[in-house]
Amino acid sequence: MTSRDGYQWTPQAGLTQGVPSLGVISPPTNIKDTNEPWDVIVIGGGYCGLTATRDLTVAGFKTLLLEARDRIGGRSWSSNIDGYPYEMGGTWVHWHQAHVWREITRYKMSNALTPSFNFTHGVNHFQLRTSPNASVSTYMTHEAEDDLLRTALHKLTNVDGNNGRTILPFPHDVFHVPEFREYDNMSYADRISQIQDELSPNERATLEAFILLCSGGKLENSSFGEFLHWWAMSGYTYQGCMDCLISYKFRDGQSAFARQFWNEALGTGRLGYVFDCPVASVSDGDGDGSGSDVRVTARDGRVHAAKRVICTIPLNVLSGIRFSPPLSAIRASAAQAGHVNMCTKVHAEVDNQAMRSWTGITYPFNKLCYAIGDGTTPVGNTHLVCFGTDANHLQPEEDVRETLKAVGELAPGAFEVKMLVFHNWVKDEFAKGAWFFSRPGMVSDCLEGLRERHGGVVFANSDWALGWRSFIDGAIEEGTRAARMVVEELRPERGVRACL
């Protein structure tokens, strides 16, 4: 089935909106009576909401899932086009991410992963361009690429003479590490200024392109402390960073994984759902979580009530929902400021088969600064996944010629583009940005407040996870936490034994 989300471009058909996805749910609802009593309402069908919904229904609770889109997956979903999965948002997973791996093993999908890289044939090199002059490129082996970025990242993260281990020995606990606040308050630009004399020009260009790929923001508005947290979660090493962030994806796409959560929840017979249902307001009558109904009103006026609500709406969207009682000052302030990630992600199918073993950086002049040849389509073409940041301001559907130009700048004259596939997260009203990445000081100042209870409403989202914050693993972590909290509160009155 075809989702309203996403875009596809080919030379023959031009630009079309909407792409096929396994995540599309039909029919869009299975309930007829909005007055039907529910134990819990879950707002949002991304991995956080899917995890919470699955856990609640398995534990015996009647659960209503409300989703603004026509599909599940939230910011992690895939489109299968001509037999090839294009990851529109969150993509990579790893067995070092405990929550996501628990679910992979639960659904017997440990053999469903495929490596992103295959450097056994083709051009087999890394291409670095720091100038718009097409004749100026630096070529090196992937081993040399690794050495270049490894050296630069170790200079960036070695704030304590121990590659960050001393500052963040327990990366899930930043609340009790006073030293972390110093680095969280730093921007990327602040930290690079400290080490600029230690970096060669190629090291600096490669480092900046990579860390901006991680934040999707700008050097001036991205928290160095948040990247240090990513580094710590990856085991304080370059190889761990590469393994966890960008090396393994699902052979059949993220939507095939999300479907497993959905199917299990639906199979319990305790799941109600309404898609195409953006939420306008959430009202907790007593505001104390005492057990009175929490009411959720959709934009079309439909009202649903439950004993508890789990709200998984992303940070950048929260300020558009009316809450009664109002959000806490910390949560409201963080939602108003938002996170910084305005990443552009564009898939390009190109006719050069040898590019399957190519990686490239075009920074700082190009609107797409980082790209990887990470797949071969069924017709034998190469799939490139390309990224731009907030500093580049590429809106791919608004000017396809500009998008094609940016793709071509990655390796001028090396290929012809046969297809583009993308989702514009910046213009997406239910995301307003890509994965979470914090502003300087945001985690130190707001993380605890974002995780606080709000009467009968539990807020859960990867944006404020403790571990792999902003990752699929963080979404599952938060969905698990929220469901467990609600189950423990409602279990005594229902006599239900949780299966969590």
Side-chain angles (χ1 to χ4, degrees):
M1 297 185 65
T2 299
S3 173
R4 293 187 304 273
D5 287 345
Y7 293 87
Q8 180 181 0
W9 174 90
T10 64
Q12 298 78 21
L15 183 68
T16 57
Q17 183 173 359
V19 294
S21 175
L22 293 172
V24 177
I25 302 300
S26 180
T29 183
N30 68 344
I31 68 169
K32 297 179 180 179
D33 182 6
T34 58
N35 294 318
E36 186 172 351
W38 302 98
D39 294 314
V40 188
I41 295 173
V42 177
I43 303 173
Y47 275 112
C48 182
L50 288 173
T51 302
T53 299
R54 188 271 317 274
D55 287 357
L56 288 163
T57 54
V58 167
F61 294 92
K62 286 188 62 179
T63 304
L64 175 64
L65 176 66
L66 303 178
E67 169 55 53
R69 306 180 190 277
D70 56 11
R71 58 172 182 79
I72 55 176
R75 290 174 290 186
S76 297
W77 68 290
S78 57
S79 174
N80 192 294
I81 300 174
D82 298 330
Y84 188 84
Y86 293 85
E87 294 289 3
M88 310 300 282
T91 301
W92 292 280
V93 295
H94 195 271
W95 42 93
H96 289 169
Q97 296 164 340
H99 296 281
V100 76
W101 193 253
R102 179 192 70 208
E103 303 299 341
I104 288 172
T105 56
R106 179 185 186 123
Y107 295 122
K108 300 181 176 67
M109 295 182 70
S110 55
N111 293 322
L113 300 184
T114 184
S116 281
F117 309 118
N118 180 358
F119 297 149
T120 61
H121 65 282
V123 296
N124 194 19
H125 66 234
F126 167 64
Q127 183 175 351
L128 173 63
R129 290 181 62 216
T130 58
S131 166
N133 185 341
S135 64
V136 179
S137 286
T138 299
Y139 299 90
M140 64 185 75
T141 66
H142 292 298
E143 290 78 14
E145 173 193 7
D146 286 337
D147 288 341
L148 180 68
L149 186 53
R150 179 186 296 108
T151 300
L153 281 171
H154 279 264
K155 290 175 181 177
L156 180 78
T157 58
N158 192 24
V159 294
D160 52 11
N162 198 21
N163 291 320
R165 291 177 183 272
T166 302
I167 293 297
L168 280 179
F170 302 105
H172 288 79
D173 181 13
V174 298
F175 303 123
H176 307 104
V177 185
E179 296 85 356
F180 175 75
R181 178 176 287 272
E182 173 188 349
Y183 299 107
D184 185 40
N185 284 330
M186 280 187 185
S187 68
Y188 279 169
D190 295 332
R191 177 56 182 163
I192 288 174
S193 178
Q194 290 182 339
I195 62 171
Q196 60 185 346
D197 293 339
E198 304 173 38
L199 298 170
S200 70
N202 282 353
E203 282 178 336
R204 181 161 182 171
T206 304
L207 174 65
E208 289 186 2
F210 180 77
I211 61 177
L212 285 173
L213 166 62
C214 294
S215 76
K218 302 175 182 176
L219 293 175
E220 296 77 19
N221 70 2
S222 303
S223 165
F224 167 61
E226 185 71 344
F227 181 82
L228 199 61
H229 177 254
W230 283 32
W231 179 257
M233 291 296 298
S234 301
Y236 315 92
T237 68
Y238 169 76
Q239 190 58 56
C241 198
M242 294 298 103
D243 287 347
C244 291
L245 302 191
I246 205 167
S247 291
Y248 298 95
K249 59 183 182 176
F250 287 106
R251 186 177 295 106
D252 296 323
Q254 281 289 342
S255 291
F257 185 42
R259 270 281 180 177
Q260 302 295 323
F261 295 73
W262 174 260
N263 291 341
E264 185 174 1
L266 194 62
T268 66
R270 289 182 283 270
L271 172 62
Y273 62 85
V274 186
F275 284 77
D276 302 317
C277 184
V279 167
S281 65
V282 179
S283 176
D284 183 355
D286 292 335
D288 60 2
S290 61
S292 62
D293 284 348
V294 185
R295 299 169 67 83
V296 179
T297 303
R299 286 183 189 173
D300 63 6
R302 287 176 290 178
V303 179
H304 305 277
K307 299 181 180 70
R308 297 290 187 276
V309 166
I310 295 176
C311 178
T312 73
I313 294 172
L315 179 66
N316 284 8
V317 186
L318 267 183
S319 61
I321 311 298
R322 297 188 305 275
F323 288 90
S324 178
L327 298 177
S328 69
I330 289 178
R331 184 175 277 123
S333 175
Q336 192 64 42
H339 68 75
V340 304
N341 192 336
M342 300 294 138
C343 176
T344 301
K345 181 179 183 181
V346 175
H347 299 277
E349 182 180 347
V350 303
D351 62 356
N352 187 339
Q353 295 182 5
M355 297 289 285
R356 177 67 175 86
S357 58
W358 171 92
T359 59
I361 287 175
T362 48
Y363 174 83
F365 66 91
N366 193 16
K367 292 189 174 183
L368 292 171
C369 63
Y370 212 107
I372 305 162
D374 86 330
T376 303
T377 66
V379 296
N381 289 328
T382 295
H383 167 238
L384 302 180
V385 56
C386 319
F387 297 91
T389 71
D390 186 31
N392 306 113
H393 299 295
L394 178 66
Q395 303 294 336
E397 77 281 12
E398 294 182 2
D399 189 339
V400 173
R401 289 176 300 178
E402 189 71 13
T403 304
L404 288 167
K405 178 184 175 183
V407 172
E409 288 281 6
L410 295 166
F415 53 76
E416 179 181 344
V417 178
K418 297 298 185 180
M419 183 165 62
L420 298 175
V421 183
F422 55 86
H423 181 115
N424 189 340
W425 294 104
V426 176
K427 297 291 187 179
D428 184 327
E429 67 170 320
F430 305 121
K432 295 185 178 179
W435 60 90
F436 172 89
F437 204 91
S438 64
R439 300 175 183 277
M442 175 176 275
V443 168
S444 297
D445 294 340
C446 303
L447 187 61
E448 282 190 289
L450 287 170
R451 296 173 59 80
E452 286 179 352
R453 183 64 173 272
H454 189 75
V457 181
V458 178
F459 286 92
N461 193 281
S462 179
D463 292 3
W464 46 86
L466 293 181
W468 284 101
R469 191 162 42 250
S470 82
F471 288 76
I472 295 164
D473 189 87
I476 296 171
E477 172 198 324
E478 277 288 288
T480 302
R481 175 183 72 90
R484 183 76 184 189
M485 183 183 302
V486 169
V487 166
E488 289 178 348
E489 291 176 1
L490 298 184
R491 184 193 304 153
E493 65 182 75
R494 287 287 306 277
V496 176
R497 182 176 180 180
C499 302
L500 303 180

